[in-house]
Amino acid sequence: MNLVRILVQKGALSEADVGRLQSAVASSPNKPLHSVIIDQGFAKEEEVLPVLAEQFGMDLVDLTKMTADPETIKLMPIKVVHRRNLMPLSRENGSLVVATGDPFDIYAIDELQTITGLHVRPVLASPKEITRLIRTHFGVGGETITAMVQERAAVELLEEIETDDSEIAKQAQEASVVKLVNEILIEAANEQASDIHIEPEEHTLRIRYRLDGLLQTQNLPPEINRFQAAIISRIKIMARLNIAEKRLPQDGRIKMRVNNREIDVRVSIIPMVHGEGIVMRLLDKSRMKRLCIFSFSK
């Protein structure tokens, strides 16, 4: 908690607030510490960001006084911009300068470097200003959102599923829950994740994708915890498992098609302390075929 200690020393945070802050951080495990401090009013953004920049050895930039380079913006993948809240600013000496509001999210920078093939130099900026610039340059409607919607095609199930008339089954079949689960599966498939881990915790739900052998936690709104039971039940229904059974492990399978790619999903339900956890192993059949063809052609 070096950030907290420094803010106390600078008078931006009082000793009396430290205990309350610890409770706030515990109830928001998916949010970085500085976001909890700012969002819940423990200290002001202009007090926190300079300390954070110094800790990480990053430049702190004021986006209200900067103009993003149009050519650099064209290089950025729209999906990463919106999902990771990264704003491209310029290209300098072969590096891509990108504004981030979360210096703890090293995976976002690694992902961007992998996609663009460029060395990424992150600079720290106000998350609110980053969001404003993203809306200005990438849009919140029109062609940008249309492209994103088309990119997120629906999950097509290749086997019939059965449901009953129970209340939890009805909740699991609501359009918003179906869409949310579809987006989790589509995102994992598009990122070529080998596994999806859905893990209930005391105050939230954690979702992690295994990418290149490493489990990476996904950014989620805190409100997702309210849909925990419905999300798990929806996945059980898709895997043709017993949604009423919550105390014993279960194994099932989902056969689906995403963007014309046939994917087998092996589903394991695991009872945990705070609810049922799920591990899903994704096998992209079209990718396996390409690998086989490549192996035989060598």
Side-chain angles (χ1 to χ4, degrees), residues 48-60 103 124:
V48 175
L49 292 185
V51 175
L52 204 59
E54 185 176 352
Q55 276 195 307
F56 281 86
M58 298 172 66
D59 291 333
L60 178 62
L124 189 62

Side-chain angles (χ1 to χ4, degrees), residues 189-204:
N190 287 344
E191 296 294 326
Q192 297 185 356
S194 60
D195 301 89
I196 305 171
H197 289 235
I198 300 178
E199 302 157 331
E201 298 182 337
E202 185 175 4
H203 298 290
T204 190

Side-chain angles (χ1 to χ4, degrees), residues 164-185:
D164 54 41
D165 292 328
S166 65
E167 187 60 32
I168 188 62
K170 290 178 181 177
Q171 292 175 4
Q173 295 299 92
E174 289 182 0
S176 56
V177 176
V178 171
K179 180 181 178 182
L180 179 56
V181 172
N182 282 357
E183 290 204 356
I184 292 170
L185 292 168

Side-chain angles (χ1 to χ4, degrees), residues 122-290:
V123 295
L124 189 62
S126 162
K128 293 178 182 177
E129 285 302 316
I130 292 174
T131 300
R132 180 186 62 80
L133 277 186
I134 288 174
R135 288 175 177 170
T136 299
H137 293 281
F138 293 92
V140 292
E143 295 179 357
T144 300
I145 292 300
T146 299
M148 292 176 69
V149 169
Q150 290 173 346
E151 185 179 44
R152 291 189 176 276
V155 170
E156 179 186 353
L157 297 178
L158 302 180
E159 294 180 337
E160 292 290 330
I161 59 175
E162 298 179 1
T163 60
D164 54 41
D165 292 328
S166 65
E167 187 60 32
I168 188 62
K170 290 178 181 177
Q171 292 175 4
Q173 295 299 92
E174 289 182 0
S176 56
V177 176
V178 171
K179 180 181 178 182
L180 179 56
V181 172
N182 282 357
E183 290 204 356
I184 292 170
L185 292 168
I186 291 167
E187 187 73 19
N190 287 344
E191 296 294 326
Q192 297 185 356
S194 60
D195 301 89
I196 305 171
H197 289 235
I198 300 178
E199 302 157 331
E201 298 182 337
E202 185 175 4
H203 298 290
T204 190
L205 189 68
R206 181 167 68 163
I207 296 180
R208 298 189 291 170
Y209 297 157
R210 189 179 296 280
L211 302 169
D212 298 323
L214 298 175
L215 281 172
Q216 299 185 15
T217 301
Q218 305 303 302
N219 291 326
L220 300 169
E223 295 82 8
I224 197 170
N225 188 48
R226 294 191 292 113
F227 302 98
Q228 175 180 320
I231 290 170
I232 292 171
S233 295
R234 171 60 185 171
I235 293 171
K236 281 184 173 182
I237 289 171
M238 294 172 73
R240 303 161 82 178
L241 298 175
N242 182 0
I243 64 172
E245 178 58 70
K246 301 181 185 297
R247 303 174 74 177
L248 296 176
Q250 297 188 70
D251 292 301
R253 183 179 178 184
I254 301 171
K255 298 181 70 174
M256 65 181 190
R257 186 179 288 117
V258 176
N259 294 334
N260 295 320
R261 291 154 52 202
E262 192 170 324
I263 298 174
D264 267 357
V265 184
R266 306 295 171 87
V267 180
S268 294
I269 308 294
I270 307 164
M272 300 175 72
V273 174
H274 299 293
E276 293 177 288
I278 299 179
V279 176
M280 292 184 277
R281 171 64 57 87
L282 279 65
L283 178 62
D284 188 332
K285 288 189 172 182
S286 61
R287 193 169 176 225
M288 292 300 296
K289 287 178 183 177
R290 289 196 299 271

Side-chain angles (χ1 to χ4, degrees), residues 38-51:
I38 295 169
D39 294 347
Q40 299 201 21
F42 288 98
K44 296 179 180 179
E45 188 176 74
E46 55 267 30
E47 297 171 323
V48 175
L49 292 185
V51 175

